[in-house]
Amino acid sequence: MTPRAADRARYDRATAHLDAPFAIVDLDAFDANAQDLSRRAGGKPVRVASKSVRCRALLERALAKDGFAGLMSFTLAESLWLARSGFEDVLLAYPSADRTGYAELAGDPKLAAAVTVMVDDPAQLDLIDASRGGGREVVRVCLELDTSLRLLGGRVRVGALRSPLRSPAQVADLARAVTRRPGFEVVGIMGYEGHVAGVGDSVAGRPLRSRAIRLMQSAARRELAERRAAVVRAVRAVVPDLEFVNGGGTGSVQHTAAEDAVTEIAAGSGLYVPRLFDNYTSFSGRPAALFAQPVVRRPGVGVVTVLGGGYPASGPAGPDRLPVPYLPEGLRYDAQEGPGEVQTPLVGPPADDLLIGDRVWFRHAKAGELCERFDELHLVEGDRVTATVPTYRGEGRTFL
């Protein structure tokens, strides 16, 4: 029996009492992945990206482990909810236009102490000030650095279109603008190098493309390390007691941690290890989050149909954004239909061994987005479900 076949047998035994569809998290794999993230961070704390987990119980489990500290959230409403739930260090990774949320933040000392907001433009400070509604609490601010790689004199850009702040002078100028305004405090710098952390460098069947990605990422790491160090020096000249410099992501943990200027690493997807993280040479993890769909039809030889399964992930549309049939091994989508909202035909030799009511196990393309489809996660240890916990959705929280 292969390791994957053994996992399938174990998951089937653990969930025999459940009716599919449902989602699980294998806690043995989750814990092993957490340990590997901490190891790769080389002693620097890992801030958990809540977007990639979307389950309070599992955020708490990660933060209880050595080497983990703080959360990185994705909306202001989520940040405030997490802070009210007892999380004491929440970094909002994206600018917000949530006026109601800013009024709550500026009016509550507990929230203001726990939540740090993201800024890369003075206009965002204007919006926050206009939203205070009389609240006088100091708003903690993090400045975001553009990490993209510019080639050919800037004519080619590789990396996400995020912050407009690129040079040390630009970031330092905004730091000065923040410090001059009453009611704000610069506490950190963040830079997410998605073109390194979020792009696999070993594309199956594409050796030339894989080599090109590795060359790009090597150049990007060198350029960013030098520029980020200069940015941090410039900002510390304005804000000597800067609390943190955040960088990285699951795919670049060990590389970003090697930068002296970086004080903490952001990661979250590496806890679940969705399918988009199968194509990396720098690390490997264990798939921890899966969902099961029931076989409801057998249209013919070598074909079964499962209920639902059409859960595409965000990003540029393409096959890599689709869930992948994982267990039993050897199933694939029908090229004419793909995964559907209500039914999904699957073809391949294993189909003939599946009966009505059997499960097919899938892996989602992106980590936390799976939790937008399920109200709860069944936590598996060995061959038993030891707990069932709500996702954000299960708690009535859909922030985007």
Side-chain angles (χ1 to χ4, degrees):
M1 183 180 289
T2 67
R4 278 173 61 173
D7 281 342
R8 180 194 175 201
R10 183 164 60 87
Y11 298 149
D12 282 346
R13 286 195 301 271
T15 62
H17 61 293
L18 300 174
D19 288 327
F22 57 80
I24 68 166
V25 170
D26 183 335
L27 290 182
D28 294 333
F30 182 94
D31 290 346
N33 293 334
Q35 184 177 24
D36 186 60
L37 286 172
S38 180
R39 176 191 62 80
R40 290 199 286 137
K44 293 184 178 179
V46 176
R47 184 180 289 273
V48 182
S50 64
K51 178 174 72 73
S52 301
V53 179
R54 303 193 204 194
C55 170
R56 282 198 297 165
L58 291 175
L59 291 174
E60 291 168 354
R61 186 181 185 93
L63 289 177
K65 298 182 181 300
D66 291 340
F68 289 78
L71 294 179
M72 176 176 282
S73 57
F74 60 98
T75 74
L76 182 54
E78 180 211 15
S79 306
L80 301 177
W81 176 63
L82 291 171
R84 290 194 186 96
S85 300
F87 295 96
E88 297 179 347
D89 179 6
V90 183
L91 170 62
L92 175 57
Y94 307 87
S96 176
D98 181 353
R99 292 175 172 82
T100 300
Y102 282 131
E104 294 177 15
L105 180 68
D108 187 318
K110 177 184 175 182
L111 297 179
V115 175
T116 301
V117 303
M118 193 64 60
V119 168
D120 58 32
D121 189 316
Q124 294 155 353
L125 302 175
D126 296 338
L127 187 146
I128 295 171
D129 267 338
S131 305
R132 285 179 180 270
R136 296 180 178 275
E137 296 299 324
V138 173
V139 175
R140 292 166 54 85
V141 167
C142 179
L143 309 178
E144 181 167 1
L145 168 69
D146 169 33
T147 65
S148 65
L149 175 65
R150 305 287 180 89
L151 302 171
L152 301 177
R155 293 190 296 276
V156 175
R157 173 193 178 111
V158 182
L161 290 163
R162 291 177 64 115
S163 171
L165 304 176
R166 181 169 182 82
S167 70
Q170 288 175 314
V171 186
D173 283 347
L174 184 55
R176 275 187 286 271
V178 175
T179 59
R180 286 196 295 263
R181 294 181 72 138
F184 293 93
E185 177 186 15
V186 176
V187 298
I189 300 171
M190 188 197 87
Y192 172 58
E193 54 269 35
H195 49 302
V196 179
V199 177
D201 62 350
S202 180
V203 185
R206 304 285 298 275
L208 294 179
R209 177 175 174 78
S210 298
R211 177 168 172 75
I213 291 172
R214 288 194 289 273
L215 290 171
M216 176 275 291
Q217 291 179 340
S218 177
R221 290 195 299 267
R222 290 193 302 271
E223 186 276 336
L224 178 59
E226 180 178 339
R227 182 160 53 89
R228 180 152 43 197
V231 166
V232 172
R233 287 193 298 272
V235 173
R236 286 196 185 277
V238 180
V239 187
D241 55 349
L242 196 69
E243 293 179 17
F244 64 85
V245 177
N246 180 281
T250 289
S252 68
V253 170
Q254 66 272 35
H255 302 298
T256 307
E259 295 183 35
D260 291 338
V262 173
T263 66
E264 64 175 39
I265 308 300
S269 295
L271 295 169
Y272 287 171
V273 186
R275 66 165 295 197
L276 280 179
F277 286 88
D278 288 347
N279 302 320
Y280 286 75
T281 58
S282 60
F283 81 103
S284 62
R286 292 172 56 183
L290 302 95
F291 65 94
Q293 303 293 111
V295 174
V296 292
R297 285 178 171 167
R298 293 172 51 87
V301 175
V303 186
V304 293
T305 301
V306 299
L307 181 69
Y311 307 155
S314 61
D320 66 340
R321 302 292 149 162
L322 301 178
V324 61
Y326 183 61
L327 301 170
E329 298 179 68
L331 291 173
R332 64 185 187 279
Y333 293 123
D334 175 73
Q336 306 265 341
E337 295 194 47
E341 180 185 13
V342 178
Q343 69 167 27
T344 297
L346 298 169
V347 299
D352 292 331
D353 296 323
L354 291 170
L355 304 177
I356 301 296
D358 284 350
R359 287 86 179 272
V360 174
W361 295 88
F362 291 77
R363 293 171 63 203
H364 203 268
K366 297 185 76 172
E369 293 183 18
L370 169 65
C371 295
E372 299 298 335
R373 300 288 182 167
F374 294 93
D375 291 344
E376 56 190 18
L377 299 172
H378 301 284
L379 307 184
V380 173
E381 295 183 76
D383 60 358
R384 294 188 305 121
V385 171
T386 56
T388 298
V389 295
T391 60
Y392 279 13
R393 168 178 157 165
E395 296 197 70
R397 305 287 175 168
T398 50
F399 294 107
L400 283 177

